[in-house]
Amino acid sequence: LQDVQYEVSQIGATLSFPTKKDDRKYSYADYLTWTDERYELIDGVAYCMTGASDAHNDVSNYLIAQMVSQLEGHKCKLQSSPFDVFFSPIDAKPTDKPTVVQPDIMAICDRTIIDRRGCHGAPDFIIEVQSVPGLKIDFDKVFTWTNV
Protein backbone atom coordinates (compact mmCIF):
# COMPACT_ATOMS: atom_id res chain seq x y z
CA LEU A 1 0.00 0.00 0.00
CA GLN A 2 2.99 2.27 0.26
CA ASP A 3 2.59 3.29 -3.40
CA VAL A 4 -0.99 4.46 -2.84
CA GLN A 5 -0.56 6.48 0.33
CA TYR A 6 -1.67 10.13 0.15
CA GLU A 7 -1.54 13.05 2.48
CA VAL A 8 -4.97 14.51 3.27
CA SER A 9 -3.72 17.87 1.98
CA GLN A 10 -3.08 16.27 -1.44
CA ILE A 11 -6.66 15.07 -1.86
CA GLY A 12 -8.67 17.38 0.40
CA ALA A 13 -9.62 19.76 -2.40
CA THR A 14 -11.22 16.97 -4.42
CA LEU A 15 -13.45 15.63 -1.65
CA SER A 16 -17.03 16.64 -0.97
CA PHE A 17 -19.64 15.63 1.57
CA PRO A 18 -22.39 13.16 0.64
CA THR A 19 -25.65 15.07 0.54
CA LYS A 20 -29.25 14.04 0.97
CA LYS A 21 -31.40 14.41 -2.14
CA ASP A 22 -34.17 15.86 0.03
CA ASP A 23 -36.25 14.84 3.05
CA ARG A 24 -38.59 12.43 1.23
CA LYS A 25 -38.54 8.65 1.63
CA TYR A 26 -37.80 6.72 -1.55
CA SER A 27 -37.77 3.13 -2.76
CA TYR A 28 -35.85 1.23 -5.41
CA ALA A 29 -38.70 2.01 -7.83
CA ASP A 30 -37.84 5.73 -7.47
CA TYR A 31 -34.11 5.01 -7.62
CA LEU A 32 -34.53 3.37 -11.04
CA THR A 33 -35.91 6.63 -12.48
CA TRP A 34 -32.94 8.82 -11.50
CA THR A 35 -30.51 9.53 -14.30
CA ASP A 36 -28.95 12.82 -13.20
CA GLU A 37 -26.71 11.54 -10.37
CA ARG A 38 -25.76 8.31 -8.63
CA TYR A 39 -27.48 7.71 -5.30
CA GLU A 40 -27.60 5.22 -2.47
CA LEU A 41 -30.74 4.65 -0.42
CA ILE A 42 -30.40 4.05 3.29
CA ASP A 43 -33.73 3.31 4.93
CA GLY A 44 -35.46 5.26 2.14
CA VAL A 45 -33.23 8.34 2.40
CA ALA A 46 -31.42 9.14 -0.86
CA TYR A 47 -27.77 10.22 -0.62
CA CYS A 48 -25.94 11.58 -3.64
CA MET A 49 -22.74 9.63 -4.17
CA THR A 50 -19.77 11.92 -4.58
CA GLY A 51 -17.26 11.22 -7.31
CA ALA A 52 -14.24 9.20 -6.27
CA SER A 53 -10.88 10.96 -6.06
CA ASP A 54 -7.74 9.62 -7.72
CA ALA A 55 -6.53 8.50 -4.30
CA HIS A 56 -9.77 6.59 -3.68
CA ASN A 57 -9.49 4.89 -7.07
CA ASP A 58 -5.82 4.01 -6.52
CA VAL A 59 -6.59 2.38 -3.16
CA SER A 60 -9.62 0.54 -4.58
CA ASN A 61 -7.66 -0.74 -7.57
CA TYR A 62 -4.80 -1.91 -5.37
CA LEU A 63 -7.19 -3.79 -3.07
CA ILE A 64 -9.06 -5.35 -5.99
CA ALA A 65 -5.78 -6.62 -7.45
CA GLN A 66 -4.88 -8.18 -4.10
CA MET A 67 -8.31 -9.79 -3.74
CA VAL A 68 -8.31 -11.25 -7.26
CA SER A 69 -5.24 -13.31 -6.42
CA GLN A 70 -6.66 -14.34 -3.03
CA LEU A 71 -10.01 -15.46 -4.48
CA GLU A 72 -8.53 -17.41 -7.39
CA GLY A 73 -9.98 -20.90 -7.36
CA HIS A 74 -12.80 -19.96 -4.96
CA LYS A 75 -16.49 -19.80 -5.84
CA CYS A 76 -16.80 -16.20 -4.64
CA LYS A 77 -17.52 -13.42 -7.14
CA LEU A 78 -15.62 -10.16 -6.74
CA GLN A 79 -17.61 -7.01 -7.53
CA SER A 80 -16.89 -3.30 -7.28
CA SER A 81 -18.99 -0.17 -7.36
CA PRO A 82 -21.22 0.60 -9.14
CA PHE A 83 -23.02 -2.63 -8.19
CA ASP A 84 -26.28 -2.47 -6.26
CA VAL A 85 -26.71 -4.33 -2.98
CA PHE A 86 -30.24 -4.73 -1.63
CA PHE A 87 -31.15 -5.84 1.87
CA SER A 88 -34.44 -7.35 0.81
CA PRO A 89 -35.47 -10.68 -0.73
CA ILE A 90 -34.65 -11.26 -4.39
CA ASP A 91 -38.38 -11.45 -5.22
CA ALA A 92 -39.33 -8.24 -3.36
CA LYS A 93 -41.16 -5.62 -5.40
CA PRO A 94 -39.14 -2.46 -6.25
CA THR A 95 -41.47 -0.46 -3.98
CA ASP A 96 -40.47 -2.73 -1.05
CA LYS A 97 -36.74 -2.01 -1.29
CA PRO A 98 -35.85 0.99 0.91
CA THR A 99 -32.10 0.30 1.08
CA VAL A 100 -29.82 0.12 -1.96
CA VAL A 101 -26.10 0.68 -1.44
CA GLN A 102 -22.98 0.39 -3.58
CA PRO A 103 -20.00 -0.78 -1.53
CA ASP A 104 -16.62 -0.01 -3.07
CA ILE A 105 -15.53 -3.66 -3.18
CA MET A 106 -17.30 -6.87 -2.20
CA ALA A 107 -17.01 -10.64 -2.42
CA ILE A 108 -20.21 -12.66 -2.80
CA CYS A 109 -19.89 -16.42 -2.32
CA ASP A 110 -23.58 -17.35 -2.57
CA ARG A 111 -24.22 -16.70 -6.25
CA THR A 112 -27.94 -17.45 -5.84
CA ILE A 113 -28.41 -13.97 -4.32
CA ILE A 114 -27.02 -12.26 -7.46
CA ASP A 115 -29.13 -11.31 -10.46
CA ARG A 116 -28.88 -8.75 -13.26
CA ARG A 117 -29.90 -5.96 -10.84
CA GLY A 118 -27.33 -6.69 -8.14
CA CYS A 119 -26.89 -8.60 -4.89
CA HIS A 120 -29.99 -9.36 -2.79
CA GLY A 121 -28.62 -9.83 0.70
CA ALA A 122 -25.36 -9.20 2.50
CA PRO A 123 -22.14 -9.86 0.59
CA ASP A 124 -19.69 -12.10 2.43
CA PHE A 125 -17.00 -9.45 2.49
CA ILE A 126 -17.19 -5.68 1.99
CA ILE A 127 -14.50 -3.01 1.70
CA GLU A 128 -15.51 0.62 1.87
CA VAL A 129 -12.59 2.94 1.09
CA GLN A 130 -12.86 5.83 3.52
CA SER A 131 -12.46 9.53 2.92
CA VAL A 132 -12.85 12.08 5.67
CA PRO A 133 -16.04 13.71 4.30
CA GLY A 134 -17.57 10.32 3.55
CA LEU A 135 -17.15 8.91 7.05
CA LYS A 136 -20.65 9.83 8.30
CA ILE A 137 -22.49 8.23 5.41
CA ASP A 138 -20.14 5.23 5.46
CA PHE A 139 -20.80 4.69 9.17
CA ASP A 140 -24.54 4.88 8.43
CA LYS A 141 -24.03 2.18 5.78
CA VAL A 142 -22.09 -0.05 8.17
CA PHE A 143 -24.84 0.32 10.76
CA THR A 144 -27.42 -0.66 8.15
CA TRP A 145 -25.36 -3.65 7.00
CA THR A 146 -24.79 -4.95 10.53
CA ASN A 147 -28.49 -4.75 11.34
CA VAL A 148 -29.66 -6.90 8.42
Side-chain angles (χ1 to χ4, degrees):
L1 248 179
Q2 185 174 4
D3 293 340
V4 293
Q5 289 180 352
Y6 290 84
E7 294 292 324
V8 172
S9 61
Q10 289 176 285
I11 60 173
T14 64
L15 300 175
S16 59
F17 288 93
T19 56
K20 287 196 316 188
K21 182 174 178 67
D22 53 38
D23 289 326
R24 288 185 45 205
K25 291 283 188 168
Y26 293 97
S27 71
Y28 182 60
D30 300 309
Y31 173 94
L32 289 173
T33 67
W34 300 330
T35 58
D36 57 332
E37 300 280 342
R38 284 181 47 214
Y39 292 92
E40 290 183 313
L41 290 177
I42 299 176
D43 196 25
V45 178
Y47 292 92
C48 183
M49 295 177 61
T50 58
S53 68
D54 284 343
H56 182 280
N57 290 337
D58 288 346
V59 171
S60 290
N61 291 337
Y62 174 84
L63 292 170
I64 289 169
Q66 298 303 308
M67 288 185 69
V68 165
S69 65
Q70 293 298 313
L71 291 175
E72 190 171 325
H74 293 274
K75 65 177 182 168
C76 301
K77 179 175 178 61
L78 186 63
Q79 279 295 138
S80 61
S81 183
F83 186 77
D84 291 338
V85 175
F86 310 93
F87 295 106
S88 53
I90 199 165
D91 59 348
K93 293 184 268 181
T95 53
D96 295 334
K97 296 181 181 189
T99 299
V100 183
V101 294
Q102 294 185 356
D104 291 322
I105 305 166
M106 68 209 89
I108 306 160
C109 300
D110 179 2
R111 291 180 180 237
T112 65
I113 64 172
I114 302 171
D115 70 7
R116 64 179 174 75
R117 294 170 294 166
C119 177
H120 300 267
D124 295 277
F125 186 80
I126 292 174
I127 296 175
E128 190 69 29
V129 177
Q130 299 294 308
S131 60
V132 175
L135 285 176
K136 164 100 175 72
I137 187 69
D138 289 341
F139 282 130
D140 286 346
K141 280 196 258 182
V142 169
F143 181 77
T144 297
W145 294 336
T146 58
N147 286 295
V148 171

